[in-house]
């Protein structure tokens, strides 16, 4: 039997999970589970590049896991674990730090962005964050990494570092590829539609949290910034149309359609009618997830059993790679 290709991905439990995270990443993972061997983690180690409240971080890590499962990630099919439970991530990150250049890291837009937002805490972890992310991916000999567009630059650097390491020591790492969803790889802010929807947006009207009250979700969509043209058309390259393009993409994903088809369906109608339809589709899509979520989050023993088993299988795979790396660089391993 041909072995299934391996997938790795994860979300940071750093704040609320947005509709962007769901559409750009988690929803896509659900579809991939049947055809690939999937490993999904809660990336808690990444979150401390920005100060977190410890008790909240613990709570959000479990909530994120419950949300993965509620969205349709099946723990019997996919491996689910908490990043900090597998020390191989930190260990490989140290090694790869020594094979990554300052200049490469300085170019990362997320670093530039986060260091301007947290000017009082530009720590070394924030700078080397992509190396930890590369380690997450490379430890599992991952072939595909399903992420949103904003993470593609990190996948590029991961590939570069892996290729550099392989060039020195032979085929140690599989070279991974990023995998984007067809529509929705970059869900935009509802208030500033040329920017991405982000959980760190100081204006909560800009994003939809998967945990928002359903009325609030609908309200946010109905007050989404659009344009004054009054025409429902999908013009992905036209910035003036960014708001409408975004709503079309959201609607397309929530109704299993395409932005073009949705635009045809609503052509000639007013923005108000269209926004109400989008709001309804989003709320109806999230409702069953929330019901599942409420059930799962109440069962801590179930969650604990899954993340413990997950950490064991993750460690088994990761330690093989780590041992190989240690040997190659000259550490005594046996
Ligand atoms: P994070 O937690 O910021 O986001 C999680 C996933 O959601 C996607 N995403 C979006 N997709 C579409 N539209 C948006 N507005 C939007 N906002 C977020 C992200 O692209 C991502 O796929 N560094 C990563 C977490 C990580 C990781 C990894 C991912 C750590 N190690 C290894 C893959 C493999 C992050 O901060 O994602």
């Amino acid at each position: 039997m041909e072995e299934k290709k391996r997938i790795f991905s994860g979300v940071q439990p750093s704040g609320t999970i947005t509709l962007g995270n769901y559409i750009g990443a988690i929803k896509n993972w659900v579809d991939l589970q049947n055809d690939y061997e999937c490993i999904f983690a809660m990336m808690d180690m990444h979150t401390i590049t920005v100060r977190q409240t410890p008790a909240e971080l613990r709570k959000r890590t479990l909530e994120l896991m419950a949300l993965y499962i509620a969205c349709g990630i099946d723990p019997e099919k996919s491996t689910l674990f908490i990043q900090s439970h597998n020390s191989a991530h930190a260990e490989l990150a140290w090694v790869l730090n020594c094979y990554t250049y300052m200049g490469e890291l300085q170019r990362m837009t997320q670093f530039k962005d986060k260091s301007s937002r947290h000017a009082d805490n530009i720590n070394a972890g924030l700078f080397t964050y992509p190396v930890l992310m590369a380690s997450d991916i490379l430890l599992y000999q991952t072939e595909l990494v399903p992420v949103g567009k904003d993470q593609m630059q990190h996948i590029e650097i991961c590939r570069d570092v892996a290729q550099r390491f392989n060039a020195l020591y032979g085929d140690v790492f599989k070279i991974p590829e990023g995998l984007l969803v067809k529509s929705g790889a970059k869900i935009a802010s509802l208030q500033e539609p040329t920017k991405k929807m982000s959980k760190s947006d100081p204006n909560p009207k800009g994003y939809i949290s998967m945990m928002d009250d359903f009325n609030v979700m609908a309200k946010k969509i109905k007050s989404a910034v659009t344009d004054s043209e009054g025409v429902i058309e999908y013009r992905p390259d036209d910035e003036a149309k960014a708001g409408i393009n975004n709503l079309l993409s959201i609607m397309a994903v929530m109704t299993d359609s395409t932005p073009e088809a949705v635009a045809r369906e609503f052509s000639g109608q007013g923005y108000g009618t269209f926004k109400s339809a989008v709001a309804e589709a989003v709320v109806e899509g999230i409702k069953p997830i929330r019901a599942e979520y409420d059930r799962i989050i109440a069962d801590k023993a179930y969650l604990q059993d899954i993340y413990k088993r997950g950490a064991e299988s993750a460690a088994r795979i990761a330690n093989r790679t780590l041992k190989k790396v240690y040997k190659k660089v000259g550490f005594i391993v046996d």
Side-chain angles (χ1 to χ4, degrees):
M1 202 178 79
E2 203 185 325
E3 269 197 37
K4 282 185 179 174
K5 289 186 177 176
R6 194 173 287 141
I7 277 186
F8 182 94
S9 199
V11 176
Q12 291 193 55
S14 58
T16 191
I17 303 307
T18 68
L19 186 66
N21 297 135
Y22 175 62
I23 292 179
I26 306 172
K27 187 171 187 296
N28 195 23
W29 305 348
V30 175
D31 301 330
L32 295 164
Q33 285 182 112
N34 294 325
D35 301 323
Y36 297 91
E37 182 195 336
C38 294
I39 305 176
F40 301 119
M42 284 64 78
M43 315 311 294
D44 58 343
M45 292 170 76
H46 283 266
T47 68
I48 63 165
T49 54
V50 173
R51 290 282 171 269
Q52 303 290 326
T53 308
E56 268 177 35
L57 176 57
R58 270 189 284 274
K59 185 163 166 277
R60 282 200 308 262
T61 303
L62 268 196
E63 288 171 353
L64 177 60
M65 182 176 173
L67 188 63
Y68 283 0
I69 301 171
C71 288
I73 305 295
D74 179 352
E76 300 308 317
K77 281 188 198 155
S78 301
T79 299
L80 285 182
F81 76 102
I82 299 169
Q83 183 188 26
S84 61
H85 287 186
N86 184 359
S87 60
H89 292 248
E91 291 181 73
L92 182 61
W94 170 251
V95 176
L96 294 184
N97 263 322
C98 304
Y99 294 81
T100 309
Y101 298 117
M102 303 283 282
E104 288 178 298
L105 294 170
Q106 255 147 5
R107 284 199 295 274
M108 296 292 111
T109 49
Q110 187 171 317
F111 171 69
K112 290 187 228 167
D113 189 45
K114 283 204 178 166
S115 47
S116 70
R117 271 191 286 124
H118 302 275
D120 57 336
N121 182 19
I122 306 179
N123 60 70
L126 192 62
F127 189 64
T128 60
Y129 169 116
V131 182
L132 180 58
M133 178 161 162
S135 306
D136 302 334
I137 297 168
L138 298 174
L139 275 175
Y140 300 95
Q141 304 294 343
T142 302
E143 299 203 34
L144 291 174
V145 190
V147 284
K149 220 176 205 165
D150 63 321
Q151 294 300 322
M152 285 309 259
Q153 202 183 24
H154 292 155
I155 306 227
E156 276 311 309
I157 201 173
C158 169
R159 289 167 56 88
D160 291 345
V161 173
Q163 269 154 353
R164 181 172 309 141
F165 198 91
N166 282 357
L168 287 166
Y169 302 108
D171 272 344
V172 177
F173 298 122
K174 188 153 272 172
I175 308 299
E177 275 179 40
L179 181 69
L180 294 177
V181 281
K182 275 189 233 80
S183 53
K186 187 180 176 188
I187 296 297
S189 154
L190 297 175
Q191 290 299 312
E192 288 176 89
T194 51
K195 293 194 180 150
K196 76 162 182 176
M197 180 182 283
S198 163
K199 54 190 155 200
S200 47
D201 189 337
N203 179 3
K205 282 184 167 173
Y207 61 82
I208 294 207
S209 160
M210 295 295 284
M211 294 300 145
D212 274 343
D213 182 270
F214 296 127
N215 289 326
V216 172
M217 282 184 194
K219 239 187 230 152
K220 285 182 181 177
I221 292 179
K222 287 178 191 168
S223 57
V225 168
T226 50
D227 55 68
S228 54
E229 194 187 24
V231 176
I232 298 179
E233 263 176 15
Y234 185 57
R235 303 205 297 260
D237 298 324
D238 184 353
E239 274 215 350
K241 232 39 208 168
I244 287 292
N245 292 335
N246 191 40
L247 293 176
L248 287 167
S249 301
I250 293 173
M251 183 72 171
V253 173
M254 301 311 284
T255 58
D256 257 331
S257 179
T258 62
E260 291 85 358
V262 178
R264 273 195 301 278
E265 186 187 335
F266 284 90
S267 104
Q269 303 206 37
Y271 286 174
T273 314
F274 174 54
K275 283 180 179 176
S276 297
V278 179
E280 194 187 328
V282 168
V283 169
E284 289 311 309
I286 295 180
K287 251 186 198 164
I289 295 176
R290 281 279 284 281
E292 268 297 278
Y293 172 85
D294 289 343
R295 195 179 61 78
I296 297 163
I297 195 66
D299 194 348
K300 297 283 184 306
Y302 168 74
L303 291 170
Q304 197 177 49
D305 175 58
I306 293 168
Y307 71 62
K308 285 199 166 158
R309 279 195 285 134
E312 278 169 25
S313 19
R316 256 195 312 276
I317 305 172
N319 286 333
R320 277 202 295 271
T321 305
L322 187 66
K323 198 168 174 189
K324 223 182 200 179
V325 168
Y326 274 10
K327 224 179 195 164
K328 292 288 187 185
V329 299
F331 299 163
I332 293 174
V333 290
D334 300 302

